[in-house]
């Protein structure tokens, strides 16, 4: 096998036996990026010089045997909204096309300390607003299983890069499904941790009560390994939670005996894609064979999750994105201007793309005088009811199963002109962010046409361990471990 | 909820986004259809339900008031679209 096709766990052993060097692995991944990025557009920025320098340093640390770190020598890709010192961080937007952060985000610092080799910044929907990667200023990322189709979004580039072996693993972010849905569309594993588990410092904000970074990997074992590096308390993030982080590798047991998994009645809805439904039902049977026990649960407020999510996320976005004013950093329109306000208004009209402006407008409307109670406050109240749905469900089961998306990857340009249809794709993922829960997406089959399908396993707050245990046991039996790269 | 043209202009003003020819009608149509879908929330009885602004039981997170190094001025200004000396430069504020 080519080195680029390896997993973190696979490389770990080979690096420590000194069978391969970090520089060989990094060159293999960089060559792979070179040969595929023109077609797939997974990366916005590739950093070969920095990567090779980091690989040399990793080789030195490995040779000295001096605490090389859990990711030492492993090429990792970062979604392009994680602040990287000295490497531009665009957020997929014209607004930040030339923005070079003067600091590293906490997630990036942790990866460096773990010895990871950072190969580049991956494509994404502009400011993480989208489910198809089509709103990127840098053009859509394509699905490695069918380049006429979307990779999903908003972490489409990260999922595509992992699936096409253009990195060994990646870090994405998830506000309403942006790790789990593209992972499903590309046939890889994506994990959104509990809100508060991973620091948001240096993560460009979209909706601050929902955003969370997490791993996108080739299998469940790697998800656990990367999660271990990312999780932990950070005083630089006021919503970071100071709880001990368990040893996730101890959760990677092929043992699901006695584990109760809930299947929400509302998730088997009329009109769902037949192949998605069949794969999802089969996944439940596979878990049963592993000794887990099915339980029917109900999440009655599911039909309200999309309005609640889009009111809260756009309201928070309208506030967060007010900082892009053409003064401190980022794009500024060409003058002359009559006054400062005209400069703000033209800068924002030109610097943001259509979907970002639509969401800012929607969020501003929901927060504006006269509509605040009817929309924003109402959405926050129904958010409470959605959280209670999950609390009640978790009284009867240890994990909840859900499809990752109502459809497999769709064709580029098929849905982009109908925002509401695009929003509805988040029906199985957005409720998880509203409730702040941990959730993994794992490959659970293919369509007849060969497109990957994904299933989510959701857990109680801060119970990532049980989610990993269920996912690992499922992966061992599903036959879909390693959704497989194209060709 | 129907969003009319004056409402679009008002919201664009609040959001500081300049509207182009034809955009008013586009926003009025899409925002109206999205909000019409969101209006299903009105059917939910939320009497006495507390709002969730955050899933965590947050308390103020204040650090110790202690001096620590911060970015130097040049680093902080390196991404500014326009600067003069140690300052951001902007168009005149008053008409």
């Amino acid at each position: 096998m080519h080195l680029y096709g390896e997993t973190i766990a696979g490389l770990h052993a080979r690096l420590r036996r000194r069978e391969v060097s970090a520089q060989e692995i990094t060159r293999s991944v960089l060559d792979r990026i070179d040969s595929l990025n023109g077609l797939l557009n997974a990366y916005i920025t590739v950093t070969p010089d920095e990567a090779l320098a980091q690989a040399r340093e990793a080789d030195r640390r490995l040779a000295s045997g001096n605490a090389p770190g859990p990711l030492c020598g492993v090429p990792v890709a970062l979604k392009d909204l994680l602040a990287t010192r000295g490497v531009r961080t665009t957020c997929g937007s014209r607004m930040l096309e030339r923005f070079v952060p003067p600091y590293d985000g906490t997630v990036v610092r942790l990866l460096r300390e773990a010895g990871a080799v950072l190969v580049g910044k991956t494509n994404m929907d502009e400011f993480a607003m989208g489910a198809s990667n089509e709103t990127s200023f840098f053009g859509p990322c394509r699905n490695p299983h069918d380049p006429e189709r979307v990779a999903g979004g908003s972490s489409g580039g990260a999922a595509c890069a992992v699936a096409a072996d253009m990195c060994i693993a990646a870090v994405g972010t998830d506000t309403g499904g942006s790790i789990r849905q593209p992972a499903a569309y590309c046939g890889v594993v994506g994990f959104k941790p509990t809100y508060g588990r991973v620091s948001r410092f240096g993560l460009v904000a979209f909706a601050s009560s929902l955003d969370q970074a997490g791993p996108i990997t080739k299998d469940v074992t790697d998800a656990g390994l990367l999660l271990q590096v990312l999780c932990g308390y950070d005083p630089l993030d006021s919503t970071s939670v100071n709880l001990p982080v368990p040893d996730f590798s101890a959760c990677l047991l092929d043992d699901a005996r006695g584990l109760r998994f809930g299947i929400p009645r509302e998730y088997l809805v009329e009109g769902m894609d037949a192949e998605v439904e069949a794969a999802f039902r089969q996944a439940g049977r596979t878990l049963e064979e592993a000794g887990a026990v099915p339980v029917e649960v109900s999440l009655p407020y599911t039909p309200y999750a999309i309005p609640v999510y889009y009111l809260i996320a756009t309201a928070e976005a309208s506030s967060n994105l007010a900082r892009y004013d053409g003064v401190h950093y980022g794009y500024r329109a060409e003058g002359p201007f009559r006054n400062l306000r005209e400069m703000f208004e033209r800068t924002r009209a030109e610097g943001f793309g259509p979907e970002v402006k639509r969401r800012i407008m929607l969020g501003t409307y929901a927060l504006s005088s006269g509509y605040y109670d009817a929309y924003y406050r109402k959405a926050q109240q129904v958010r409470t009811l959605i959280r209670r749905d999950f609390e009640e469900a978790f009284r009867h089961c240890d994990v909840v199963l859900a499809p990752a998306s109502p459809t497999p990857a769709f064709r580029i340009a098929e849905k982009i002109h109908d925002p509401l249809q695009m929003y509805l794709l988040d029906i199985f993922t957005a409720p998880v962010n509203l409730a702040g829960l941990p959730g993994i997406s794992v490959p659970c089959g293919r369509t007849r046409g060969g497109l990957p399908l994904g299933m989510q396993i959701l857990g109680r707050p801060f119970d990532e361990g049980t989610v990993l245990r269920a996912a690992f046991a499922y992966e061992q039996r599903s036959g879909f471990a390693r959704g497989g790269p194209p060709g | 909820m129907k969003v009319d043209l004056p409402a679009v202009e008002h919201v664009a003003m609040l959001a500081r986004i300049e509207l182009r020819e034809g955009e008013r009608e586009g926003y009025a149509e899409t925002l109206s259809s999205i909000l019409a879908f969101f209006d299903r929330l009105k059917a939910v009885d939320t009497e006495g339900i507390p709002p969730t602004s955050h899933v965590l039981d947050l308390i103020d997170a204040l650090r110790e008031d202690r001096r620590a190094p911060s970015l130097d001025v040049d680093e902080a200004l390196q991404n500014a679209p326009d600067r003069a000396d140690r300052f951001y430069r902007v168009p005149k504020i008053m008409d």
Side-chain angles (χ1 to χ4, degrees):
Chain A
M1 181 169 42
H2 290 285
L3 289 172
Y4 58 67
E6 279 280 9
T7 60
I8 300 175
L11 287 177
H12 192 86
R14 294 182 67 182
L15 277 162
R16 271 155 187 73
R17 288 197 301 265
R18 318 273 355 252
E19 282 173 24
V20 292
S21 72
Q23 291 171 81
E24 287 168 315
I25 297 163
T26 302
R27 276 195 211 97
S28 168
V29 167
L30 289 171
D31 288 347
R32 181 78 172 166
I33 296 172
D34 257 356
S35 64
L36 287 178
N37 204 44
L39 170 69
L40 298 175
N41 201 24
Y43 283 86
I44 292 173
T45 305
V46 184
T47 52
D49 297 341
E50 291 89 335
L52 286 167
Q54 289 163 22
R56 274 194 296 278
E57 175 58 27
D59 283 331
R60 259 197 302 277
R61 278 163 81 170
L62 285 159
S64 72
N66 186 11
L71 296 176
C72 195
V74 177
V76 174
L78 301 170
K79 186 179 184 179
D80 203 18
L81 53 51
L82 295 161
T84 41
R85 185 183 171 93
V87 175
R88 74 168 176 160
T89 299
T90 70
C91 244
S93 181
R94 181 184 196 187
M95 190 61 91
L96 294 176
E97 187 182 0
R98 285 185 272 275
F99 173 64
V100 179
Y103 70 101
D104 276 333
T106 297
V107 159
V108 177
R109 176 177 61 78
L110 292 170
L111 289 169
R112 289 193 203 280
E113 287 170 5
V117 172
L118 304 179
V119 287
K121 309 295 293 286
T122 56
N123 204 347
M124 56 182 285
D125 282 292
E126 184 179 7
F127 283 101
M129 298 180 190
S132 66
N133 213 130
E134 291 170 285
T135 73
S136 171
F137 177 65
F138 300 90
C141 171
R142 292 169 179 274
N143 193 305
H145 299 273
D146 177 356
E148 296 307 310
R149 291 177 186 266
V150 303
S154 66
S155 311
C160 170
V162 173
D165 292 326
M166 299 161 80
C167 61
I168 304 301
V171 178
T173 62
D174 190 316
T175 304
S178 282
I179 286 175
R180 292 160 287 153
Q181 183 255 31
Y185 282 11
C186 293
V188 294
V189 173
F191 201 131
K192 183 202 91 72
T194 311
Y195 183 85
R197 245 321 178 202
V198 176
S199 171
R200 293 183 298 109
F201 178 73
L203 184 166
V204 179
F206 160 14
S208 303
S209 80
L210 305 164
D211 297 340
Q212 191 68 187
I216 299 179
T217 55
K218 295 176 185 178
D219 62 19
V220 175
T221 302
D222 276 9
L225 292 172
L226 189 45
L227 194 63
Q228 196 81 53
V229 171
L230 301 178
C231 289
Y233 172 64
D234 179 15
L236 297 176
D237 172 3
S238 63
T239 59
S240 169
V241 173
N242 198 352
L243 279 179
V245 179
D247 175 5
F248 292 129
S249 65
C251 306
L252 300 171
L253 296 171
D254 184 10
D255 182 8
R257 280 172 302 172
L259 191 84
R260 296 166 306 162
F261 64 97
I263 297 196
R265 197 178 306 152
E266 293 78 7
Y267 284 8
L268 293 167
V269 287
E270 203 73 39
M272 194 157 124
D273 181 285
E275 290 182 299
V276 171
E277 185 179 339
F280 179 59
R281 287 182 187 275
Q282 179 56 41
R285 285 193 288 273
T286 304
L287 261 182
E288 255 187 275
E289 286 160 21
V293 183
V295 181
E296 190 181 281
V297 295
S298 178
L299 302 170
Y301 286 96
T302 300
Y304 304 103
I306 294 298
V308 169
Y309 171 77
Y310 276 92
L311 285 163
I312 288 172
T314 61
E316 293 185 16
S318 74
S319 165
N320 272 326
L321 273 62
R323 75 191 65 182
Y324 302 103
D325 56 4
V327 175
H328 302 93
Y329 45 80
Y331 178 80
R332 179 190 288 190
E334 285 286 329
F337 304 105
R338 280 182 312 219
N339 53 35
L340 187 60
R341 189 160 129 190
E342 191 177 71
M343 189 279 279
F344 291 154
E345 292 181 340
R346 195 164 309 149
T347 291
R348 291 165 63 79
E350 294 176 5
F352 293 134
E355 180 60 23
V356 172
K357 284 193 274 191
R358 186 180 298 125
R359 294 201 195 188
I360 292 174
M361 294 280 284
L362 195 55
T364 305
Y365 184 87
L367 289 173
S368 67
S369 172
Y371 300 104
Y372 182 91
D373 284 337
Y375 287 114
Y376 183 63
R377 191 182 153 83
K378 185 81 177 181
Q380 288 188 315
Q381 288 177 304
V382 182
R383 183 177 184 181
T384 304
L385 296 171
I386 289 169
R387 290 174 66 191
R388 288 181 184 173
D389 270 358
F390 280 105
E391 281 164 14
E392 177 59 28
F394 281 120
R395 272 194 262 281
H396 308 285
C397 61
D398 305 301
V399 292
V400 167
L401 300 196
S405 173
T407 70
F410 45 93
R411 289 183 187 284
I412 289 173
E414 185 181 323
K415 294 188 197 287
I416 192 72
H417 301 294
D418 188 345
L420 188 55
Q421 289 310 309
M422 196 74 97
Y423 298 172
L424 294 175
L425 293 175
D426 300 342
I427 183 63
F428 300 125
T429 46
V432 182
N433 301 74
L434 290 170
L437 307 173
I440 197 170
S441 172
V442 291
C444 72
R446 298 246 185 164
T447 64
R448 280 184 298 276
L451 297 171
L453 296 168
M455 168 182 72
Q456 293 182 87
I457 301 172
L458 314 173
R460 298 185 179 101
F462 301 101
D463 193 10
E464 283 84 3
T466 302
V467 172
L468 282 171
R469 183 179 144 214
F472 186 78
Y474 173 73
E475 186 183 61
Q476 299 309 303
R477 277 172 190 75
S478 70
F480 303 114
R482 191 64 220 272
Chain B
M1 179 63 67
K2 189 100 184 74
V3 182
D4 57 17
L5 296 183
V8 168
E9 282 171 18
H10 178 65
V11 171
M13 182 277 293
L14 292 174
R16 298 290 187 267
I17 292 174
E18 191 173 76
L19 293 172
R20 306 298 164 74
E21 206 46 49
E23 276 187 339
R24 284 169 185 76
E25 294 72 17
Y27 278 123
E29 196 190 316
T30 20
L31 296 185
S32 294
S33 70
I34 292 168
L35 287 168
F37 177 74
F38 290 3
D39 279 337
R40 65 163 61 183
L41 285 184
K42 292 194 173 131
V44 184
D45 180 4
T46 50
E47 188 67 35
I49 304 294
T52 294
S53 59
H54 229 278
V55 291
L56 303 171
D57 298 321
L58 288 176
I59 47 161
D60 283 342
L62 300 175
R63 69 170 170 82
E64 221 182 305
D65 187 12
R66 215 178 39 210
R67 282 170 60 159
S70 58
L71 289 180
D72 72 44
V73 173
D74 272 326
E75 273 186 311
L77 288 173
Q78 74 184 17
N79 286 290
D82 193 9
R83 62 179 283 195
D85 190 22
R86 292 164 53 84
F87 304 98
Y88 296 107
R89 187 154 63 186
V90 296
K92 65 177 178 175
I93 290 172
M94 312 293 282
D95 281 317

